[in-house]
Amino acid sequence: MKVAQTILGEKLFTLLMKYTFYGHFVAGEDQQKIIMKLMRAILGDRLFVYLMKQTFYGHFVAGEDRIRIVPTLTRLRSFGVKPILDYSVEEDLSQEEAEKREVEASVSSAGTNLSEDSADSLPQYSVDKTFADRRYKVQSARTYFYLNEATCERNMETFLECLDAVKGATFGTGITAIKLTALGRPQLLLQVSEVIMQARRYMMDLAGSTGNILTHHKTIQDLERYLGNVSDKAEVKQFLEKVTSDKDGILHLFPWTGIINEDCQLSETFRVPDPVTGQMRRLISKIPPKEEEMFRNMIRRLNTIVKTAQDLDVRIMIDAEQTYFQPAISRITLEMMRKYNTEKAIVFNTYQCYLKDTYKEVCTDLEQAKRQNFYFGAKLVRGAYIEQERARAAALGYEDPTNPSFEATTEMYHKTLTECLRRIRILKDANIDPKKIAIMVASHNEDTVRFAIEKMQEIGIHPEDKVICFGQLLGMCDYITFPLGQAGYSAYKYIPYGPVNEVLPYLSRRAQENKGVLQKIKKEKRLLLSEITKRLAKGQLFYKPKGKYVPI
């Protein structure tokens, strides 16, 4: 075996073992895979697929392709509910293979340090093998692991097909969900994320307080005073000319507007003057030309997707991911908003309210949208990665970015939502299009949905304003989604679809999640039991209600 592994390499050797010796004597790599394999062995392929469609797969997944999902979408539409489509195919990777891919794709060929000075590097934005399998302690979020550029191209094509499906099957009312880690090398997101945090450190020295550059209301003149005697140097002058500002102060230290152009050079963009020497220093290590090209490819793919959404007049939601990717994802998403959300909200960002800084981040992004005059779209969620985030922070020795309790997360969610509603009301009172801010309340928590509705009524925002919508997963909390749709609110179901065998890796992790969720949804189970009892009494066990509602 050692000789074979040396000759074949780890990847080919593992594949050979699975189809021979390992595959003959071992059932699988984890509990869910073993159960699925045993069921398939007992039932046979055809009966196994049929059983999945009638039970677990059929409950949480709309169908295998864009044609087969139409009956589900039509049924939802009849009850006033719209879809967020997500092609949920996920590679069935072992933990070892996932870790190997992530580590290789998260380290630059120029070296392991992300910042030029390793003493200033931030541990949060470096890869760690222990947490390289991003599925660790995460059930509800689909995960992509970078293999090569060709795989990213295929992912882009899949997202484009989703957009076509949204346009064709939902009369343009649906949304497509995408993940930025599907479109490029994770190392690049790590590096851009660290640059953003290093820029905040630099601004902290200038302003003497923490937070985003935009919130300090510092002017170019303030920056010149901070740089003192070195502000006359040619390179420093050139830097100051590129700083983005308006009458209220500095918006960005760097020309972020250029980052979504396909000719952007990361290594040359993120440089700041040293206030003592006046020399320009990089906040990002020198990136090899090949990796610069990879970043431009990622931006090209995202531009293609968003431009297609604009042409088809449908919308996209860019999912939130781990905190070490999120600064880059949010920055790129906001620049896509600035470029494409000029007449309506086409691009939506996602904010995870279990994070301590969510309220501040949303306020800052709302302020940027106001000052740069673009439509702001946001999906508010509690979040999918909390256990992983806490474990990683403890292991790598940086501050835990998450709220300490569920109650604190709920408070963060409600506070952030209230601020968004307050700003929408200000727009209405000023006779400015209230759709300048569009918010999705994506929550399975009944109290949070009720809070949103009561707050809308209190502030004077109506369903027909089309600025607030609600979203839940297909197969979960129907007793929340359907009454919302029937009552005239904008209601969505997050709808996975894809071939049975290729969706099962994602679904097997959802099984773990729902094992815990089912302990909590006593009300839903009580309502279902009550409905079954009523149908039995009326002799309508197989009755399928038909709606006549039109989604708002």
Side-chain angles (χ1 to χ4, degrees), residues 480-516:
I480 293 176
T481 318
F482 282 83
L484 283 169
Q486 290 165 295
Y489 288 91
S490 185
Y492 284 85
K493 279 293 192 188
Y494 194 98
I495 298 179
Y497 74 101
V500 176
N501 292 328
E502 295 176 51
V503 172
L504 283 179
Y506 165 70
L507 276 182
S508 68
R509 290 190 293 109
R510 284 291 305 279
Q512 288 276 28
E513 178 194 26
N514 286 288
K515 192 164 61 175

Side-chain angles (χ1 to χ4, degrees), residues 78-269:
S78 74
F79 289 98
V81 178
K82 298 170 282 189
I84 305 171
L85 289 187
D86 180 19
Y87 190 69
S88 297
V89 168
E90 190 176 278
E91 283 188 276
D92 190 8
L93 297 177
S94 67
Q95 181 182 334
E96 291 78 7
E97 176 64 19
E99 288 174 353
K100 183 172 179 289
R101 280 202 200 177
E102 188 72 1
V103 170
E104 287 177 354
S106 298
V107 177
S108 171
S109 58
T112 56
N113 290 328
L114 295 184
S115 63
E116 192 172 50
D117 183 353
S118 59
D120 290 336
S121 64
L122 304 173
Q124 186 172 352
Y125 303 100
S126 58
V127 67
D128 184 87
K129 190 175 186 297
T130 311
F131 301 94
D133 185 352
R134 287 184 273 115
R135 299 167 301 185
Y136 173 68
K137 292 182 180 287
V138 176
Q139 283 87 41
S140 59
R142 199 158 39 82
T143 307
Y144 292 91
F145 291 97
Y146 181 86
L147 180 60
N148 52 41
E149 292 296 287
T151 305
C152 295
E153 289 291 324
R154 286 197 296 274
N155 291 337
M156 180 190 73
E157 293 298 333
T158 299
F159 291 139
L160 292 174
E161 287 171 13
C162 281
L163 289 171
D164 277 335
V166 164
K167 179 64 176 178
T170 71
F171 306 95
T173 61
I175 302 171
T176 293
I178 72 168
K179 270 187 161 34
L180 208 53
T181 48
L183 299 176
R185 188 179 172 91
Q187 166 223 337
L188 301 165
L189 295 174
L190 283 170
Q191 288 183 283
V192 174
S193 290
E194 181 166 14
V195 161
I196 291 167
M197 303 317 289
Q198 293 282 16
R200 289 185 186 178
R201 275 187 172 186
Y202 185 83
M203 198 64 187
M204 183 173 67
D205 293 336
L206 162 65
S209 60
T210 60
N212 291 293
I213 292 164
L214 184 128
T215 58
H216 293 302
H217 296 285
K218 293 291 181 182
T219 64
I220 299 288
Q221 289 72 33
D222 291 325
L223 189 53
E224 285 176 344
R225 279 193 291 272
Y226 172 68
L227 294 171
N229 297 329
V230 302
S231 60
D232 290 333
K233 289 196 171 187
E235 280 192 308
V236 176
K237 280 184 173 180
Q238 195 176 14
F239 166 80
L240 290 169
E241 285 170 6
K242 291 181 179 178
V243 170
T244 309
S245 66
D246 63 7
K247 61 181 176 62
D248 293 319
I250 296 170
L251 282 133
H252 308 301
L253 283 181
F254 309 111
W256 285 109
T257 52
I259 201 172
I260 58 168
N261 295 332
E262 291 162 30
D263 58 353
C264 174
Q265 293 287 326
L266 290 178
S267 295
E268 298 308 314
T269 299

Side-chain angles (χ1 to χ4, degrees), residues 344-495:
K344 61 169 71 174
I346 292 169
V347 181
F348 282 66
N349 197 9
T350 303
Y351 297 88
Q352 302 190 99
C353 292
Y354 66 58
L355 297 174
K356 293 173 183 174
D357 290 335
T358 298
Y359 175 76
K360 285 191 279 189
E361 295 291 339
V362 171
C363 288
T364 301
D365 294 348
L366 281 163
E367 189 65 20
Q368 184 185 334
K370 177 184 173 183
R371 284 165 67 174
Q372 294 196 303
N373 194 30
F374 60 81
Y375 284 70
F376 177 80
K379 177 175 72 169
L380 300 181
V381 299
R382 274 184 167 77
Y385 307 98
I386 190 163
E387 287 186 65
Q388 186 188 102
E389 294 284 4
R390 285 175 174 169
R392 192 175 187 270
L396 300 188
Y398 58 86
E399 184 185 350
D400 183 351
T402 67
N403 286 314
S405 65
F406 179 81
E407 291 73 23
T409 295
T410 298
E411 185 183 345
M412 177 68 74
Y413 198 118
H414 292 181
K415 181 182 177 182
T416 305
L417 175 59
T418 301
E419 177 62 17
C420 294
L421 291 169
R422 185 187 72 82
R423 287 179 181 247
I424 292 169
R425 181 72 243 184
I426 289 171
L427 291 174
K428 284 187 74 173
D429 291 344
N431 288 322
I432 300 170
D433 185 2
K435 296 191 186 75
K436 281 271 187 179
I437 300 172
I439 306 295
M440 172 172 279
V441 180
S443 176
H444 297 101
N445 186 287
E446 188 179 340
D447 293 333
T448 289
V449 173
R450 186 179 288 110
F451 174 87
I453 291 169
E454 289 172 356
K455 226 32 173 177
M456 286 173 68
Q457 292 170 348
E458 178 189 319
I459 291 175
I461 295 168
H462 311 292
E464 54 269 24
D465 290 330
K466 298 183 181 180
V467 292
I468 301 293
C469 57
F470 298 85
Q472 290 83 36
L473 284 164
L474 181 69
M476 290 178 67
C477 295
D478 288 351
Y479 74 97
I480 293 176
T481 318
F482 282 83
L484 283 169
Q486 290 165 295
Y489 288 91
S490 185
Y492 284 85
K493 279 293 192 188
Y494 194 98
I495 298 179

